[in-house]
Amino acid sequence: MTDVPDVPRTLVLPPRLTVSARKLRDAAVRRGLHVVESAGFSVPELSRAPRGGAVHLHAGPSFADAVAPALGIAPLEAPADWLARLPYAFTRREIRALPIGEAYLLRRPAFIKSPNEKSISALVYADGSRLPGPDAVDPHTVVLVSDVMTFAAEYRLHLLDGAVHTGSQYAAEGRLRLGPPTPGALAFGRDLLAAVRQTLPSAIVVDVGMDEEGRWAVVEANAAWGSGCYEADPDRALDTVLRAAGPATELSPYDRAFVRRPLRDDRPQP
């Protein structure tokens, strides 16, 4: 990685902060960052931010797409087909990335979601006919189609520079349960990085889980700038967020391949 200049920094947050966002806000304030809580989905006023400083972001995809380009922020995310390209040893299930137009043809239950968006709800669909139709979604929109897998426990790992930087349990048997990550979750995260580190940006969140037979698998990857930290160390989670959504001028050559490209809706408008 290239060295990041020691300059004043601003963290931009969206309206209606979540519990996790408030934790990250408080960590940023303790660190001496200038924090801007936006009033709406428009580019926030930064007149009070330090001159010559760097601007970072923690928000969902829609807000990031609305403000990041104007603020010179380069949000990092995993490739859309990253989960589908993982070796079976890390997924324990078949996963395909395909246009939703093809997913309509499925005639079996499958877990289907958007790779890096929230446009397609992450659910077990009885078959492809239950997905949002072409009147609502461009048929070329890529979705992840996965065999249904039940996790006994799920954990969120914040990964930074090829290491597990912090983490938290967030679910058990499909229900919210917060707590520290187990040694097994941390070890699986390290094994994953050892095998596929070069397929991920330098700062990312990966959710992992253990099934009822004790087998570990990747649940999904998420942009660190748009992910909750749950019970993870908020200061270390903030480290990951700042790298994952910071100035484009501070991007390393390595991370340039992982900069988010907002989706465009090219369908004719009524």
Side-chain angles (χ1 to χ4, degrees):
M1 289 295 299
T2 55
D3 293 332
V4 176
D6 185 13
V7 298
R9 298 191 178 273
T10 295
L11 179 64
V12 174
L13 298 169
R16 300 180 297 277
L17 300 186
T18 63
V19 172
S20 285
R22 289 196 290 271
K23 288 182 179 180
L24 292 172
R25 175 198 61 192
D26 295 345
V29 170
R30 289 195 301 270
R31 194 176 295 191
L33 273 69
H34 179 69
V35 174
V36 174
E37 297 183 33
S38 303
F41 272 56
S42 58
V43 179
E45 175 59 54
L46 300 182
S47 60
R48 297 183 181 179
R51 288 190 176 184
V55 183
H56 302 260
L57 175 77
H58 175 66
S62 297
F63 185 84
D65 290 347
V67 306
L71 296 176
I73 295 172
L76 305 179
E77 64 184 9
D81 63 347
W82 179 78
L83 192 61
R85 290 192 289 110
L86 279 182
Y88 181 84
F90 291 111
T91 63
R92 301 291 181 180
R93 62 203 188 277
E94 181 185 354
I95 304 171
R96 292 184 294 159
L98 67 164
I100 195 171
E102 294 183 25
Y104 291 147
L105 303 177
L106 286 171
R107 290 300 176 261
R108 60 175 175 82
F111 181 80
I112 303 175
K113 67 181 292 292
S114 300
N116 292 316
E117 305 287 333
K118 304 296 183 184
S119 55
I120 308 299
S121 297
L123 296 170
V124 175
Y125 292 85
D127 58 52
S129 69
R130 306 301 178 91
L131 289 163
D135 58 330
V137 181
D138 188 312
H140 296 97
T141 300
V142 173
V143 293
L144 293 174
V145 178
S146 168
D147 290 342
V148 178
M149 184 173 183
T150 301
F151 293 98
E154 297 171 67
Y155 303 85
R156 173 156 293 173
L157 305 178
H158 285 71
L159 310 181
L160 181 64
D161 287 336
V164 180
H165 201 56
T166 188
S168 171
Q169 181 175 356
Y170 65 88
E173 305 293 345
R175 297 178 180 272
L176 182 68
R177 178 175 296 177
L178 304 182
T182 62
L186 297 175
F188 181 71
R190 290 191 292 268
D191 290 344
L192 176 71
L193 283 169
V196 301
R197 173 183 176 180
Q198 297 303 314
T199 66
L200 290 168
S202 67
I204 193 74
V205 160
V206 172
D207 294 345
V208 304
M210 183 181 67
D211 69 9
E212 293 179 351
E213 298 179 16
R215 300 178 304 173
W216 287 96
V218 174
V219 177
E220 62 182 355
N222 291 293
W225 45 265
S227 298
C229 61
Y230 297 115
E231 292 297 295
D233 181 326
D235 288 291
R236 295 178 74 82
L238 180 62
D239 292 337
T240 312
V241 170
L242 296 179
R243 175 73 65 78
T249 55
E250 293 182 359
L251 270 179
S252 70
Y254 173 83
D255 274 331
R256 287 172 187 158
F258 300 101
V259 175
R260 175 178 173 81
R261 303 289 187 263
L263 290 179
R264 295 187 308 162
D265 187 350
D266 295 324
R267 291 173 299 164
Q269 299 301 307

